[in-house]
Amino acid sequence: MSNQAANEHGRLVLIVDDDSTTRIIMREVLETEGFRVEEAADGVLALQAFHHCKPDAVLLDIEMPRKDGLAVCAEIRGGDDGIHVPIIMTTGVEDVSAIHRAYEVGATDFIMKPISWAVLAHRLRYILRASDAIAEQRKAALMISGLGKVIENSSNEIYILENESFKFQDVNQSARNNVGYAVEEFADLTIHDLLHGISPIEFVQHLEPLLSGACNEIYIEVDIKRKNGSRYPVEMRIHSFGYEDNVAIAVIAQDITDRKLTEKRMRHLAYFDGLTGLPNRRLFTEELELMIKVALRGSHQVAVLFIDLDNFKRINDTLGHTVGDLLLREVGARLVECVRTSDMVSPRRTPEKNITVSRLGGDEFTVVLNHIYHTDEAILVAERILAALGKPMMLNGHELIVTPSIGISVAPLDSDSFELLLKHADTAMYQAKNAGRNNYQFYDRSMDRSSLERLTLENDLHKAIEAYQFELHYQPLVDLASGATLDLEVLVRWRHPTRGLIFPDKFIELAEEMGTIVQVGEIVLRAACRQFRAWQLAGMKVQRVSVNISSLQFRQPNFAAMVIGILAEAGLQPDALVLELTEGVLLADVEQNIEILRKLKASGIAIAVDDFGTGYSSLSYLKRFPVDILKIDRSFIGDVTDNHDSAGIVTAIVALARSLNLQIVAEGIETAEQLRFLCDLGVDVGQGYLMSKPLPAAELASAVQSGSLSVHILPPVTQANKNISGS
C-alpha cells in the first residue's frame, strides 16, 4: 500500500441522504475501499452527526426533508470545526442554479445523480488528498512567519510565486525532485516555464478571481513539464496571501497520474467494446455526427459501411458462444487490417481519422470512411472487406468461413443526419442479404424499408401469430443452497418456416414496435401455464414458472384479469407463476402499476424485478411496489470475480434485497468462480449456462427427471479456510 493510500485508509465519511438505497450502496462502496462511514437521513440529523463524529468529509444531498443540504452546508461552514471539511453535494436535479447555490454556501465539489458508483471512491479519495494539500498550504503560510520546514518537508509540490512576475520565491524539495531543476535554476524561471497546455494569458485569467478577492481558492488541472522534457498531470490548488506588505501566491500541486489513468480506463469501458476492443455504438455515433458536420462545411463526403455477418446465429448456436466470441474478435481484427491497407485509397484524404472501425453489437460492425471524394473509394474498401472475411478462420479446431452483407450510405448525398445515414446503411445491408448475401449494396431511395425487409418480416410475424410458430424454451433457476432446480424461466423462439429458429433479439423489438407483442406475450403465457400444469400432473418437482412481460403488454387495461383468467383456464394455481418486469416497466406509470401489481399479488402471483442494477435501482420505489424477487443483471455477474466495482455493486444489491426480505436471483452464471462468489455472499437462486442453457420442453423434462440439472454447491468458504489457502 502506498503512503497516500495508507493515510487515507480509515477516513470517516458522513453520508447524508433521505434515500436509504443511496446510503446502503454508498456505504458498501466506500467501506469496500477502506473508508469508515456514518449516516444521517435528513438535515437536522446530519448536523447532530457532524458535531458528534467530526468526519473527514461529508457527502450531502441537496433535496431533503426538514432541512435541505444547502442550509446544512451553510451551518457546517459557519462553525470553527467545519470551515475546512470537504463537503460534496449530490442531487438528481439537473439545475445549474442549484450548483451555483451549493458553491455559494461553501460546497467543495458537486456530484450529479444517478451516481457512478465505480468512480465515487476514486473521486472522494482525490478530494481528500486535495483537502490535505490545502492544509499543507496553510502550513506553508505559517512558514512565511518562520516555519520553513513545513514547506520543505511536505510530500506535495509547493511553489511560492511573486504576485505579478510569477517568478519563484520558494520551491520545496518535493517539487525540485519531481521537475528536476536545482534551487539556483529556479531563479531564472517562472511558473509559465513549467506549465504545458495552458498559455500565460490563460493562466492569468484563471487567477484573476483569486487576485481580485472574489474567491479564496482556484483549482486547475494542468501538465507540468520536467527539465528532461517529460510531462505529468497535476491538480493545482492556488491561494494568495500577504507577505511582507506584498501579495504572494502559493501553488500546491498534487500528482494525479493515477487518477488520469483511472479516468482513461473508465472512458475506455464507456466507449469501447469489451469483446473486440473496437469503438462501440456510443463512440461511433459521436464521431460520425462530428464527421458529417465537418463534411457539410467542406467539399468532401463521409461513407458508412454497415456490415452484418451472414448466418452468424447458426454458428453461435451450433458451436457455442465461446467460438462465436472468437469469431467476432477475428472479424474485428481483419476489418482493422483491411482499413489499414485501404487508408491511402484517396491521395487527397487528410491524415485525421481517415477510417474507423466499430462494433455496434452482436454481429454488426461499421466502417466509416472520412474525407472521401468519390463513391469508388467506398467500393474499394467494401471489396477488400469481402475478400478478407471470405478467407477461412481456424477457431478452436473448427475451420469456419463467414461472409458479410454490406450496406453503404454516403453523406451528404443520402442524408446529413447521422441517425438517418446509419439507418440507410442498415437498409442497404438488408438489400445485400436479399440479393444473396456476401455482397455490398449502396443505398438508394427505392429501398423503402417498409416495403422490403421490414414489411416482409412484419407480414411473417403476423403469420407466425396466426399459425403459432413459436417455441418455448426453459432455463432452470437453481437453489444455490442445495443445487436443486426450483423454478423455470420461459424464453420464446420463433420457428420461421424459411429462416429457421429466430431468437428474440431479432423479433421482440419489432413486435413491440408493431404492437403485436401483446398477442405474442399472451400466446407465451398461455402455453407456459398449460405446459407447467402438465408437468405438475406428471409429478415434476419444480415450484414455479417465470414469464417475462413487456411494457406494452403490462399496460393493457385488462392485463391482470387476462393473467388470472389464463391461470384458471390452465388449472394452474397462481402461486406457481412468477411475472418478470424490468425497472423501466414499473416506473413508467407508478400509481397505475402499483394498483395492477396489487391485484396480481392478491391472487397469489409472485413479481420479480428483472435486470436489477441497470436502472435507477432505488429503495424508494422498491418499498412502494409489491415485489418478491430481485434478479441481478448478468452484466454485473460476468466480471464479479475480477472486477472490484461489480463485486461491490452485487454485494450492495444483496444487502438491499435482504433489508426488504426479497429473494435474490443472479442471472448469467457461467463459471464455478462466479458460483462460489455468489454462494459465499448468500445469494438465494442462480441461473446461467453453468447450470443449463435454455432447453425445449421435452429436453428440459428429461433433464429434470434424470437429475442432470442438479448443481454441486460447495459449502461457504470459512475464515479458517481462507487463512489456510492464503486468500
Side-chain angles (χ1 to χ4, degrees), residues 367-641:
V367 173
V368 179
L369 310 182
N370 192 17
H371 284 278
I372 68 170
Y373 294 88
H374 197 281
T375 55
D376 286 350
E377 298 175 50
I379 292 174
L380 178 59
V381 175
E383 289 177 343
R384 289 182 175 176
I385 290 172
L386 291 171
L389 297 188
K391 296 176 182 178
M393 305 178 187
M394 287 300 300
L395 303 172
N396 268 15
H398 302 280
E399 184 178 66
L400 303 176
I401 296 178
V402 60
T403 60
S405 295
I406 305 173
I408 306 172
S409 61
V410 181
L413 298 179
D414 296 324
S415 177
D416 59 5
S417 161
F418 76 93
E419 293 175 331
L420 285 178
L421 198 66
L422 179 61
K423 181 181 179 181
H424 292 336
D426 183 39
T427 297
M429 181 273 293
Y430 277 105
Q431 182 65 17
K433 286 191 178 294
N434 291 337
R437 298 184 172 87
N438 196 27
N439 69 92
Y440 62 86
Q441 297 287 330
F442 279 88
Y443 171 78
D444 66 63
R445 300 190 186 279
S446 65
M447 295 178 184
D448 185 349
R449 179 73 178 271
S450 63
S451 64
L452 291 173
E453 180 64 24
R454 184 180 179 90
L455 181 58
T456 301
L457 198 59
E458 288 178 356
N459 289 336
D460 287 350
L461 192 52
H462 281 296
K463 294 176 184 177
I465 294 171
E466 295 173 2
Y468 187 63
Q469 295 171 354
F470 301 105
E471 295 181 5
L472 302 190
H473 288 203
Y474 300 83
Q475 187 171 37
L477 279 71
V478 176
D479 180 8
L480 296 190
S482 66
T485 298
L486 290 180
D487 301 339
L488 299 172
E489 180 178 355
V490 176
L491 301 165
V492 64
R493 308 286 188 258
W494 178 8
R495 180 66 68 178
H496 194 281
T498 59
R499 300 187 181 191
L501 197 63
I502 301 178
F503 281 70
D505 62 330
K506 295 299 184 182
F507 69 88
I508 289 296
E509 184 176 348
L510 177 61
E512 289 177 341
E513 292 176 7
M514 295 168 57
T516 55
I517 190 66
V518 176
Q519 296 163 281
V520 174
E522 186 172 343
I523 289 172
V524 170
L525 181 62
R526 179 171 280 106
C529 290
R530 287 176 176 172
Q531 178 63 75
F532 199 75
R533 179 54 180 161
W535 279 334
Q536 283 184 335
L537 295 173
M540 182 184 289
K541 302 299 183 182
V542 178
Q543 295 178 3
R544 298 180 297 192
V545 62
S546 182
V547 180
N548 289 276
I549 302 299
S550 75
S551 58
L552 186 59
Q553 186 181 10
F554 186 70
R555 291 198 300 268
Q556 295 303 301
N558 63 339
F559 175 74
M562 182 269 293
V563 173
I564 295 170
I566 287 177
L567 285 168
E569 176 187 306
L572 188 66
Q573 291 299 312
D575 61 5
L577 177 64
V578 179
L579 298 180
E580 295 191 15
L581 304 103
T582 64
E583 297 174 77
V585 174
L586 292 176
L587 294 173
D589 189 342
V590 173
E591 298 305 326
Q592 179 179 336
N593 291 346
I594 289 175
E595 185 61 30
I596 295 172
L597 293 178
R598 283 175 178 164
K599 290 180 181 178
L600 295 168
K601 284 279 292 180
S603 72
I605 297 169
I607 306 298
V609 181
D610 197 15
D611 301 335
F612 188 79
T614 59
Y616 194 68
S617 306
S618 170
L619 180 61
S620 60
Y621 88 78
L622 283 179
K623 289 168 66 176
R624 296 188 64 193
F625 286 110
V627 299
D628 306 280
I629 303 165
L630 286 189
K631 300 192 73 174
I632 305 173
D633 187 68
R634 65 181 63 248
S635 62
F636 300 116
I637 304 302
D639 59 356
V640 74
T641 57

Side-chain angles (χ1 to χ4, degrees), residues 137 140-145 160-161 163 169 239-250:
Q137 188 273 330
L142 295 176
M143 178 278 300
I144 303 300
S145 303
I160 306 299
L161 312 177
N163 180 29
Q169 291 183 344
H239 284 255
S240 63
F241 58 93
Y243 172 50
E244 297 180 354
D245 298 326
N246 294 313
V247 175
I249 297 171

Side-chain angles (χ1 to χ4, degrees), residues 56 76-77 79-87 108 131 134-135 138:
D56 297 297
I76 290 176
R77 289 292 187 237
D80 293 338
D81 56 349
I83 297 175
H84 302 301
V85 174
I87 301 176
T108 306
S131 177
I134 295 173
R138 290 195 293 271

Side-chain angles (χ1 to χ4, degrees), residues 4 8 125-126 129-130 133 155-159 174 178-179 221-224 226 231-237 252-261:
Q4 277 185 330
E8 291 160 3
R125 183 176 294 113
Y126 281 105
R129 291 182 185 176
S155 60
N156 294 302
E157 299 175 35
I158 301 179
Y159 306 87
S174 179
N178 280 353
V179 298
E221 290 184 7
V222 296
D223 281 1
I224 287 184
R226 295 188 176 94
R231 303 192 302 267
Y232 61 100
V234 297
E235 179 182 80
M236 283 187 171
R237 297 277 180 165
I252 314 298
Q254 173 75 46
D255 189 332
I256 57 172
T257 300
D258 290 343
R259 190 181 95 190
K260 288 296 183 182
L261 290 174

Side-chain angles (χ1 to χ4, degrees), residues 325-347:
D325 288 349
L326 291 174
L327 174 61
L328 293 174
R329 290 194 189 101
E330 179 63 21
V331 168
R334 291 193 183 190
L335 288 175
V336 171
E337 186 61 31
C338 262
V339 301
R340 284 176 181 167
T341 60
S342 304
D343 199 40
M344 297 307 295
V345 295
S346 170

